[in-house]
Amino acid sequence: MSKLIAIVLSLLVSAHSALAQTYPSKPIRWIVPFTAGSTSDTVCRTLQPELSRLLGQPVVIENRPGAGGSLGTTEGAKAAPDGYTLTYASSSAFATNVHLMRLAYQPVQDFAPVSMIGATPYVISKMVQPSQWVAHSVSHPAVKIWPPEQEVGHGAEHGAVPAGTVDV
């Protein structure tokens, strides 16, 4: 994680040095289009202190949750393109929502990428209900889906209720 933070911050500092010497001359607004305490918010709040120190200005995180991230992302798209508003981008706001709803922004045209913060692997499973996991393990006692000391679940990203953990 510390390597990732160093890479992100070095990219941001590189972008900073390429700008005029007077930038930044005021606080920077960082829109996180998800709830406080979400994974996205936690990542941004982890990077925020060092980013503020490197830029010499406060970086103020503003949570603007709603509609799978599209409300806060819309606010970021409408901000002046002066470098004083950053918007945390996610797959939901930039890839998924484009196919699910009519958006007030165009991901490619309305935003300029600054840096990649991280990547998250996804797992797709046919069995989606915890009761199915339990039924499967009972009907297949020789097959261990996971060791009993481990738990399966996911974080509460994007305001979703986390899946329950199942111990067998």
Side-chain angles (χ1 to χ4, degrees), residues 124-137 145-146:
I124 299 174
S125 170
K126 183 176 178 185
M127 295 184 291
V128 294
Q129 298 295 322
S131 60
Q132 289 178 308
W133 295 335
V134 173
H136 183 273
S137 64
I145 297 174
W146 57 83

Side-chain angles (χ1 to χ4, degrees), residues 132-162:
Q132 289 178 308
W133 295 335
V134 173
H136 183 273
S137 64
V138 168
S139 64
H140 298 84
V143 178
K144 291 259 187 192
I145 297 174
W146 57 83
E149 66 275 0
Q150 294 182 3
E151 295 181 341
V152 175
H154 65 82
E157 183 61 47
H158 315 305
V161 177

Side-chain angles (χ1 to χ4, degrees), residues 4 7 14 39 50 54 60 77 85 91 99-100 113 158 165-166:
L4 176 63
I7 291 169
S14 298
T39 303
E50 186 65 10
L54 289 170
V60 180
T85 301
S91 59
H99 303 288
L100 299 176
H158 315 305
T165 59
V166 180

Side-chain angles (χ1 to χ4, degrees), residues 55-115:
L55 295 175
Q57 288 289 338
V59 174
V60 180
I61 293 177
E62 293 183 18
N63 296 94
R64 298 285 188 246
S70 64
L71 294 182
T73 305
T74 298
E75 191 170 333
K78 292 179 179 179
D82 58 4
Y84 287 97
T85 301
L86 299 174
T87 304
Y88 179 85
S90 70
S91 59
S92 63
F94 279 71
T96 308
N97 292 350
V98 173
H99 303 288
L100 299 176
M101 59 186 81
R102 190 168 275 174
L103 299 173
Y105 61 90
Q106 295 295 318
V108 176
Q109 292 87 352
D110 295 341
F111 293 91
V114 175
S115 176

Side-chain angles (χ1 to χ4, degrees), residues 25-63:
S25 60
K26 64 181 183 179
I28 296 171
R29 178 180 179 216
W30 195 353
I31 298 172
V32 179
F34 303 105
T35 58
S38 66
T39 303
S40 299
D41 177 66
T42 303
V43 167
C44 294
R45 289 183 190 277
T46 300
L47 297 172
Q48 181 265 344
E50 186 65 10
L51 185 57
S52 291
R53 186 188 70 75
L54 289 170
L55 295 175
Q57 288 289 338
V59 174
V60 180
I61 293 177
E62 293 183 18
N63 296 94

